[in-house]
Amino acid sequence: MRQRSLIAITAALAAGALTLTACGSRDSGSKGSDSGNGGTTVVIGVDAPLTGDLSALGLGIKNSVDLAAKQANKKSYVKGVTFKVEALDDQAQPSSGQTNATKFVGEKDVLGVVGPLNSSVAQSMQKVFDDAKLVEVSPANTNPALTQGDNWQTSKTRPYKSYFRTATTDAIQGPFAAQYVFNKAKKTKVFVIDDKKTYGAGLAATFTAEFKKLGGKVAGTEHINPDTKDFSAVATKVKNSGADVVYYGGEYPQAGPLSKQIKAAGAKIPLVGGDGIYADDFIKLAGTSGTGDLATSVGAPVETLASAKEFVANYKAGGYTEAYGAYGGYSYDSAWSIIEAVKKVVDDNGGKLPSDARAKVTAAVQNVSFDGVTGKVSFDEYGDATNKQLTVYSVESGAWKAVESGTYSGG
């Protein structure tokens, strides 16, 4: 997240009225069940952490998918089809995600799933969904290997054709942040920390590679245990390293206390992270010492996009008690990509779901293209979003403030 010199900064944030076409999708490999009005019910599954440390992001994902389904039903977007949402809690645990994936596969009315939040959880779900030809669209996974294979840096190969994402990847986010930190923030000596998890370690690696390429120096590296909140030993290492910035690959439950403890150790330097720390809870956990910390996140700030005004207004009117958060717009667009695919499949089959609806919906998602909340929604040959927008945020006066938005052009 975040941008920098050597990166094409796009100041114009995708204006243009939003054609909120969304399609509620549902598939199961069999015809959908009848709804009370004689139509067909299609279930969109949601997998996210609905409890635990990351629930603030997970609940925003769930609510945004719920809103998409309600909007599709209100418009009768797919004639004869009523969309329902079923949300399962993965608690950010791969084993729970795999169990949830198996449950969704076993429910014939589920034609698509939005989620998960965590890349490590996605790894446990992909094969389960792919074997069942059940489409999965994540609004938040950023690890490149999920779509381009483990050897993505040298030879890209798509592992699963049923997996898509509306968020851009760490292959772009990490270098984008490095360019911003080195070229714009003028930081030249970084201490890199990660939580050893798929997302955090991967993001830290892509940041580090680009930072060194630009001429920056790595003053030290460290891994933390995400199950602890005492980072005093690491904070002391940061202080003694002479680094002028810290890059953290991980999520906000650890990043907030880490930032606070680094400052308490005497290192008055900013902590920079990815979309995993871009949450209001990071600011609460870091306290006033978080001022000046930076995070990159996918896309442009939803509130600034003309295309998102209707989503923001409808979300507020929906009465959801939790914020839509960093991935709300992407979750809404993920749900709509499934809905659009269901519409295509139903229209192509004389107004009814075919017996092989799941496989056909998966194939249709590959070709969806519509104007969504986050801009143009479509997917490339790997299932990755074609929208590569990123934004850098800074903590100022107790809130995240967008610093720059742009696209990474390589370098």
Side-chain angles (χ1 to χ4, degrees), residues 24 77 146 175 192-193 230 330 340 392:
Y77 192 73
L146 296 172
V192 180
I193 306 170
D230 180 5
Y330 291 89
E340 291 287 1
V392 181

Side-chain angles (χ1 to χ4, degrees), residues 133-218:
K133 296 182 171 58
L134 177 57
V135 72
E136 170 188 18
V137 186
S138 173
N141 297 160
T142 54
N143 187 277
L146 296 172
T147 48
Q148 299 173 17
D150 291 337
N151 299 317
W152 61 270
Q153 290 168 304
T154 55
S155 177
K156 297 179 182 179
T157 305
R158 186 175 185 179
Y160 301 105
K161 291 193 174 180
S162 63
Y163 177 87
F164 299 83
R165 55 178 150 203
T166 52
T168 196
T169 78
D170 295 334
I172 295 171
Q173 181 177 198
F176 187 70
Q179 291 195 2
Y180 180 85
V181 170
F182 187 85
N183 294 325
K184 182 79 172 197
K186 304 298 182 184
K187 304 297 183 183
T188 60
K189 195 174 181 183
V190 65
F191 196 103
V192 180
I193 306 170
D194 70 62
D195 62 1
K196 297 188 283 189
K197 297 200 297 192
T198 301
Y199 163 74
L203 183 57
T206 59
F207 172 89
T208 301
E210 181 72 9
F211 193 76
K212 288 164 72 174
K213 190 159 91 173
L214 292 168
K217 181 180 178 183
V218 177

